[in-house]
Each structure stands twice: as structure tokens, then as C-alpha cells.
Amino acid sequence: MTAPSRGTLVAIGFGPAAVPVLRRLEQAGLVEEIRWPPGTDSPGTEADEHPGEAASAWLAARWTSVQGVVAVGACGLITRLVAPLLTGKNRDPAVVVIDPQGRFAVPLLGGHAAGADRLCQEIAALLD
């Protein structure tokens, strides 16, 4: 699989509770690629295609080639996941974290420069 092109969004989820939110993002066409939580019933998903690939490796392989990352899970988990990948305010992609129930979207990284604030508003409108 080739890496998504710069300007695209990818999503990653943690745990079965993330699946409904990921499906809504997918159905809306907001994200180009999704790494589904391992062990979830999502045939043909990234987790199925790369079952041994850790979330950190999956994200690292895409970090420099995407405009933004939408992560469904805990802010602390996402913060620890992206911390080793950070290179600079004007080079890192936007990172938006959504809680598994889809109630809150938080611009964790790249609020202004990378467009995370705008992306949060788009996600909020999508998830109501």
C-alpha cells in the first residue's frame, strides 16, 4: 500500500468503542485511510491487513505524508503515541482526538498552522 498523499486525513481507533465513530468518519468520506482497532469485526480493514503492525508503526509510516490524523481514544494515549514523531510546529500534521462516544473533538496538535481547529469544527458538525 502506498502512503496517503499530503493533504489527506487518516484515522486511528483504540478499542471496540471507537468503531462507530470511525464508521461515521468513513461514511462521510472525511478520512482516506483508517486503522481499525485490532480484534474488531471490520472486514478488509487495516487491522486485518496488518495484524502485527503496532499503532505506533502504522502512524509513524504516515506521519510525514498526511495533513492530519483523527484519533478516537484517550488524549493521554494519543499524546504518548505522537510525542516521538514531533518535528516542528510548521511541519507536523494536525492531530484531532475524539472521545469514543463521539461527544468531544479536541485539537491536540496543529490548531492554527495545520488546521486542527477547522477540522474539529468539521468533525463536530458531522458527529452532531
Side-chain angles (χ1 to χ4, degrees):
M1 163 170 238
T2 60
S5 62
R6 189 72 172 172
T8 61
L9 300 173
V10 296
I12 186 168
F14 299 91
V19 172
V21 174
L22 291 170
R23 288 214 187 280
R24 288 183 72 185
L25 297 172
E26 178 184 47
Q27 290 168 351
L30 186 64
V31 294
E32 183 174 300
E33 183 180 0
I34 297 174
R35 183 185 190 280
W36 300 88
T40 58
D41 186 23
S42 302
T45 64
E46 285 300 306
D48 293 333
E49 293 170 20
H50 307 286
E53 184 179 33
S56 58
W58 184 89
L59 188 57
R62 288 149 183 84
W63 187 255
T64 60
S65 64
V66 298
Q67 176 184 354
V69 176
V70 179
V72 183
C75 277
L77 182 153
I78 309 308
T79 300
R80 287 186 293 279
L81 187 67
V82 303
L85 303 174
L86 300 178
T87 58
K89 181 177 180 174
N90 295 319
R91 293 188 303 241
D92 295 324
V95 177
V96 172
V97 180
I98 305 171
D99 73 295
Q101 290 74 38
R103 296 173 299 173
F104 304 101
V106 178
L108 185 66
L109 186 67
H112 300 294
D117 290 341
R118 178 194 48 77
L119 180 56
C120 269
Q121 291 172 351
E122 191 174 342
I123 290 169
L126 172 70
L127 298 178
D128 210 19

